[in-house]
């Protein structure tokens, strides 16, 4: 059994630990900071066998050097981004054994948009999607076009409905507020509001989410909704020709939304 646990870092990052209890080993996704990771490994008597990197931002790669200082472990990452100390530069559809864990394979999906070379890792029915999709939200467009990020989100949305999505940030409450603004009559969204509010009040993560839950509540996956389109057109001040234009308007709107 693969056990997946978040290690909180910085303000709102989650460094995901994929733990093999029987072997006493762990693989990390996006260790932006080595300190909370070292404390976690020590507390749980785990040895680190590998690192998976989704994209080049500092809050995702900042801990690599310190973690590798006295460990000769593999570091997987995107072929299309320049990140020092990667041992395996991966492209779409590449498949590898999960480092130090012979039971599980990991396969790669290229999901550009937040950054130009962003990748996601699929392990069984789990997807580690970095800063591409968040609970009821999506990453900012730093390097890609709206059409690129929209296609990447559609790709994630087309995975089996029960696929669990492990995002790299806890942005849920802010995303929820925006989602309720752009689609107030969505009942699934209203129901989810209670659930995520009570999780956060108890100090618990709202991640992972599932493809099914996101299809019902994530506005960026709901650009076909008449209500969302109407609100996006009002924000844009013009009619929007297709779902990518609705998506682009939503993303611009969220950037200035408080
Ligand atoms: Zn990022
Ligand atoms: Fe990030």
């Amino acid at each position: 059994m693969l056990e997946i646990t978040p290690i909180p870092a910085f303000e709102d990052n989650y460094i995901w630990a994929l733990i093999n209890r029987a072997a006493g080993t762990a693989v990390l996704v996006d260790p932006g900071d080595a300190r909370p990771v070292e404390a976690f490994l020590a507390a749980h008597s785990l040895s680190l066998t590998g690192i998976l990197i989704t994209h080049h931002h500092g809050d995702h790669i900042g801990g690599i050097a310190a973690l590798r200082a006295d460990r000769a472990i593999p570091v997987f990452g995107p072929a299309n981004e320049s990140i020092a100390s990667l041992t395996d530069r991966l492209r779409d559809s590449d498949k590898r054994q999960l480092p130090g864990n012979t039971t599980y394979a990991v396969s790669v999906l290229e999901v550009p948009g937040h950054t130009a070379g962003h990748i996601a890792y699929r392990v069984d029915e789990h997807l580690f999607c970095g800063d591409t999709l968040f609970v009821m939200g999506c990453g900012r467009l730093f390097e890609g076009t709206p059409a690129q990020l929209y296609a990447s989100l559609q790709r994630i949305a087309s995975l089996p409905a029960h696929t669990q999505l492990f995002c790299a940030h806890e942005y849920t409450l802010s995303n929820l507020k925006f989602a309720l603004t752009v689609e107030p009559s969505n009942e699934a969204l209203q129901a989810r509001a209670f659930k995520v509010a009570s999780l956060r009040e108890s100090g618990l993560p709202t991640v992972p989410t599932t493809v099914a839950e996101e299809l019902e509540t994530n506005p960026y996956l709901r650009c076909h909704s008449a209500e969302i389109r109407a609100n996006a057109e009002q924000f844009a001040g013009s009619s929007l020709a297709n779902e990518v234009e609705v998506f682009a308007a939503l993303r611009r709107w969220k950037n200035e939304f408080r």
Side-chain angles (χ1 to χ4, degrees):
M1 242 322 258
L2 194 64
E3 188 184 320
I4 305 173
T5 307
I7 305 172
F10 308 116
E11 287 279 287
D12 49 35
N13 284 68
Y14 290 134
I15 298 167
W16 292 100
L18 286 62
I19 300 168
N20 179 347
R21 279 284 165 194
T25 60
V27 171
L28 301 170
V29 183
D30 288 352
D33 188 358
R35 282 163 302 177
V37 167
E38 295 289 11
F40 178 88
L41 295 172
H44 296 262
S45 306
L46 296 167
S47 66
L48 183 60
T49 54
I51 293 173
L52 314 179
I53 297 294
T54 63
H55 68 293
H56 68 83
H57 286 158
D59 62 317
H60 299 253
I61 67 169
I64 300 175
L67 291 168
R68 284 197 85 224
D70 49 10
R71 296 179 181 97
I73 51 171
V75 184
F76 296 178
N80 296 325
E81 296 194 351
S82 88
I83 301 169
S85 75
L86 293 187
T87 61
D88 288 66
R89 299 180 173 275
L90 303 178
R91 296 179 188 282
D92 200 64
S93 315
D94 279 349
K95 241 183 164 176
R96 293 283 188 281
Q97 210 61 47
L98 198 59
N101 187 325
T102 49
T103 316
Y104 290 93
V106 55
S107 57
V108 173
L109 278 82
E110 286 180 358
V111 284
H114 175 68
T115 62
H118 199 302
I119 59 176
Y121 296 92
R122 188 175 176 185
V123 180
D124 273 0
E125 305 305 310
H126 315 289
L127 186 79
F128 298 89
C129 56
D131 287 358
T132 299
L133 178 144
F134 298 119
V135 179
M136 293 179 270
C138 74
R140 283 175 187 261
L141 277 165
F142 284 120
E143 296 171 8
T145 63
Q148 264 181 331
L149 184 54
Y150 187 70
S152 295
L153 292 169
Q154 288 296 311
R155 228 184 141 186
I156 293 173
S158 69
L159 294 171
H162 59 272
T163 306
Q164 289 189 295
L165 307 174
F166 294 80
C167 347
H169 291 271
E170 177 66 59
Y171 288 157
T172 303
L173 291 183
S174 146
N175 289 337
L176 168 67
K177 199 173 154 200
F178 181 69
L180 282 167
T181 301
V182 303
E183 197 180 19
S185 65
N186 179 343
E187 284 173 18
L189 201 49
Q190 294 163 15
R192 202 173 186 191
F194 290 101
K195 198 174 141 193
V196 296
S198 79
L199 283 171
R200 293 311 292 150
E201 275 159 25
S202 313
L204 295 170
T206 60
V207 189
T209 180
T210 62
V211 166
E213 287 176 291
E214 293 309 304
L215 285 171
E216 287 197 321
T217 57
N218 189 320
Y220 304 99
L221 301 182
R222 300 181 54 75
C223 295
H224 54 273
S225 144
E227 185 176 31
I228 289 182
R229 167 183 289 273
N231 284 323
E233 288 183 337
Q234 192 167 26
F235 168 80
S238 62
S239 72
L240 302 168
N242 53 45
E243 290 183 10
V244 173
E245 288 192 6
V246 172
F247 171 74
L250 287 182
R251 191 53 267 186
R252 284 200 309 276
W253 186 359
K254 177 64 163 69
N255 290 347
E256 58 187 59
F257 182 80
R258 288 291 172 271

PDB file of all heavy atoms in Angstrom, residues 13 55 57 59-60 114 131 134 168-169 171, ligand 2:
ATOM      1  N   ASN A  13       2.213  25.756   0.927  1.00  0.00           N
ATOM      2  CA  ASN A  13       2.646  24.650   0.052  1.00  0.00           C
ATOM      3  C   ASN A  13       2.416  23.299   0.720  1.00  0.00           C
ATOM      4  O   ASN A  13       2.515  23.182   1.942  1.00  0.00           O
ATOM      5  CB  ASN A  13       4.148  24.744  -0.257  1.00  0.00           C
ATOM      6  CG  ASN A  13       4.477  25.808  -1.280  1.00  0.00           C
ATOM      7  OD1 ASN A  13       4.341  26.998  -1.027  1.00  0.00           O
ATOM      8  ND2 ASN A  13       4.929  25.367  -2.452  1.00  0.00           N
ATOM      9  N   HIS A  55       7.825  21.446 -11.738  1.00  0.00           N
ATOM     10  CA  HIS A  55       8.218  22.637 -12.507  1.00  0.00           C
ATOM     11  C   HIS A  55       9.270  23.423 -11.741  1.00  0.00           C
ATOM     12  O   HIS A  55       9.563  23.112 -10.585  1.00  0.00           O
ATOM     13  CB  HIS A  55       7.000  23.490 -12.876  1.00  0.00           C
ATOM     14  CG  HIS A  55       6.317  24.162 -11.727  1.00  0.00           C
ATOM     15  ND1 HIS A  55       5.641  23.470 -10.744  1.00  0.00           N
ATOM     16  CD2 HIS A  55       6.203  25.479 -11.386  1.00  0.00           C
ATOM     17  CE1 HIS A  55       5.132  24.327  -9.863  1.00  0.00           C
ATOM     18  NE2 HIS A  55       5.469  25.552 -10.222  1.00  0.00           N
ATOM     19  N   HIS A  57       9.724  26.440 -10.366  1.00  0.00           N
ATOM     20  CA  HIS A  57       9.594  27.519  -9.373  1.00  0.00           C
ATOM     21  C   HIS A  57      10.266  27.173  -8.050  1.00  0.00           C
ATOM     22  O   HIS A  57      10.262  26.021  -7.615  1.00  0.00           O
ATOM     23  CB  HIS A  57       8.118  27.865  -9.156  1.00  0.00           C
ATOM     24  CG  HIS A  57       7.514  28.622 -10.296  1.00  0.00           C
ATOM     25  ND1 HIS A  57       6.162  28.678 -10.553  1.00  0.00           N
ATOM     26  CD2 HIS A  57       8.102  29.373 -11.276  1.00  0.00           C
ATOM     27  CE1 HIS A  57       5.943  29.431 -11.623  1.00  0.00           C
ATOM     28  NE2 HIS A  57       7.098  29.848 -12.085  1.00  0.00           N
ATOM     29  N   ASP A  59       9.586  27.571  -4.933  1.00  0.00           N
ATOM     30  CA  ASP A  59       8.849  26.930  -3.839  1.00  0.00           C
ATOM     31  C   ASP A  59       8.612  25.442  -4.103  1.00  0.00           C
ATOM     32  O   ASP A  59       8.021  24.745  -3.286  1.00  0.00           O
ATOM     33  CB  ASP A  59       7.526  27.659  -3.553  1.00  0.00           C
ATOM     34  CG  ASP A  59       6.558  27.646  -4.711  1.00  0.00           C
ATOM     35  OD1 ASP A  59       6.993  27.865  -5.862  1.00  0.00           O
ATOM     36  OD2 ASP A  59       5.350  27.425  -4.481  1.00  0.00           O
ATOM     37  N   HIS A  60       9.112  24.950  -5.237  1.00  0.00           N
ATOM     38  CA  HIS A  60       8.994  23.515  -5.563  1.00  0.00           C
ATOM     39  C   HIS A  60      10.344  22.815  -5.638  1.00  0.00           C
ATOM     40  O   HIS A  60      10.415  21.602  -5.496  1.00  0.00           O
ATOM     41  CB  HIS A  60       8.225  23.336  -6.888  1.00  0.00           C
ATOM     42  CG  HIS A  60       6.829  23.882  -6.814  1.00  0.00           C
ATOM     43  ND1 HIS A  60       5.723  23.079  -6.760  1.00  0.00           N
ATOM     44  CD2 HIS A  60       6.374  25.162  -6.728  1.00  0.00           C
ATOM     45  CE1 HIS A  60       4.633  23.842  -6.640  1.00  0.00           C
ATOM     46  NE2 HIS A  60       5.014  25.108  -6.630  1.00  0.00           N
ATOM     47  N   HIS A 114       1.042  26.950 -16.612  1.00  0.00           N
ATOM     48  CA  HIS A 114       1.576  27.677 -15.449  1.00  0.00           C
ATOM     49  C   HIS A 114       3.042  27.997 -15.731  1.00  0.00           C
ATOM     50  O   HIS A 114       3.480  29.144 -15.610  1.00  0.00           O
ATOM     51  CB  HIS A 114       1.412  26.823 -14.197  1.00  0.00           C
ATOM     52  CG  HIS A 114       2.019  27.404 -12.959  1.00  0.00           C
ATOM     53  ND1 HIS A 114       1.540  28.537 -12.348  1.00  0.00           N
ATOM     54  CD2 HIS A 114       3.079  27.005 -12.213  1.00  0.00           C
ATOM     55  CE1 HIS A 114       2.281  28.811 -11.281  1.00  0.00           C
ATOM     56  NE2 HIS A 114       3.222  27.898 -11.181  1.00  0.00           N
ATOM     57  N   ASP A 131       1.323  22.927  -9.767  1.00  0.00           N
ATOM     58  CA  ASP A 131       0.573  24.189  -9.771  1.00  0.00           C
ATOM     59  C   ASP A 131      -0.312  24.312 -11.009  1.00  0.00           C
ATOM     60  O   ASP A 131      -0.604  25.419 -11.467  1.00  0.00           O
ATOM     61  CB  ASP A 131       1.537  25.387  -9.727  1.00  0.00           C
ATOM     62  CG  ASP A 131       2.178  25.574  -8.362  1.00  0.00           C
ATOM     63  OD1 ASP A 131       1.861  24.815  -7.432  1.00  0.00           O
ATOM     64  OD2 ASP A 131       3.019  26.489  -8.245  1.00  0.00           O
ATOM     65  N   PHE A 134      -5.699  23.440  -8.961  1.00  0.00           N
ATOM     66  CA  PHE A 134      -5.904  23.472  -7.516  1.00  0.00           C
ATOM     67  C   PHE A 134      -7.359  23.119  -7.228  1.00  0.00           C
ATOM     68  O   PHE A 134      -8.178  23.084  -8.149  1.00  0.00           O
ATOM     69  CB  PHE A 134      -5.579  24.866  -6.964  1.00  0.00           C
ATOM     70  CG  PHE A 134      -4.145  25.271  -7.171  1.00  0.00           C
ATOM     71  CD1 PHE A 134      -3.823  26.386  -7.917  1.00  0.00           C
ATOM     72  CD2 PHE A 134      -3.109  24.514  -6.632  1.00  0.00           C
ATOM     73  CE1 PHE A 134      -2.505  26.755  -8.122  1.00  0.00           C
ATOM     74  CE2 PHE A 134      -1.782  24.878  -6.827  1.00  0.00           C
ATOM     75  CZ  PHE A 134      -1.484  25.996  -7.570  1.00  0.00           C
ATOM     76  N   ALA A 168      -0.203  21.286  -5.194  1.00  0.00           N
ATOM     77  CA  ALA A 168       0.947  21.712  -4.390  1.00  0.00           C
ATOM     78  C   ALA A 168       0.654  22.885  -3.471  1.00  0.00           C
ATOM     79  O   ALA A 168       1.551  23.346  -2.760  1.00  0.00           O
ATOM     80  CB  ALA A 168       2.122  22.036  -5.304  1.00  0.00           C
ATOM     81  N   HIS A 169      -0.587  23.406  -3.481  1.00  0.00           N
ATOM     82  CA  HIS A 169      -0.919  24.524  -2.583  1.00  0.00           C
ATOM     83  C   HIS A 169      -2.304  24.354  -1.984  1.00  0.00           C
ATOM     84  O   HIS A 169      -3.192  23.776  -2.607  1.00  0.00           O
ATOM     85  CB  HIS A 169      -0.889  25.869  -3.330  1.00  0.00           C
ATOM     86  CG  HIS A 169       0.477  26.308  -3.744  1.00  0.00           C
ATOM     87  ND1 HIS A 169       1.296  27.072  -2.943  1.00  0.00           N
ATOM     88  CD2 HIS A 169       1.169  26.093  -4.882  1.00  0.00           C
ATOM     89  CE1 HIS A 169       2.435  27.323  -3.579  1.00  0.00           C
ATOM     90  NE2 HIS A 169       2.393  26.731  -4.764  1.00  0.00           N
ATOM     91  N   TYR A 171      -5.082  26.476  -1.598  1.00  0.00           N
ATOM     92  CA  TYR A 171      -5.685  27.739  -2.030  1.00  0.00           C
ATOM     93  C   TYR A 171      -7.204  27.634  -2.029  1.00  0.00           C
ATOM     94  O   TYR A 171      -7.897  28.464  -2.622  1.00  0.00           O
ATOM     95  CB  TYR A 171      -5.247  28.068  -3.471  1.00  0.00           C
ATOM     96  CG  TYR A 171      -3.813  28.497  -3.655  1.00  0.00           C
ATOM     97  CD1 TYR A 171      -3.203  28.352  -4.902  1.00  0.00           C
ATOM     98  CD2 TYR A 171      -3.078  29.089  -2.625  1.00  0.00           C
ATOM     99  CE1 TYR A 171      -1.894  28.758  -5.114  1.00  0.00           C
ATOM    100  CE2 TYR A 171      -1.767  29.499  -2.832  1.00  0.00           C
ATOM    101  CZ  TYR A 171      -1.183  29.330  -4.086  1.00  0.00           C
ATOM    102  OH  TYR A 171       0.109  29.743  -4.303  1.00  0.00           O
TER     103      TYR A 171
HETATM  104 FE1  LIG B   2       3.956  26.899  -6.324  1.00  0.00          FE
END
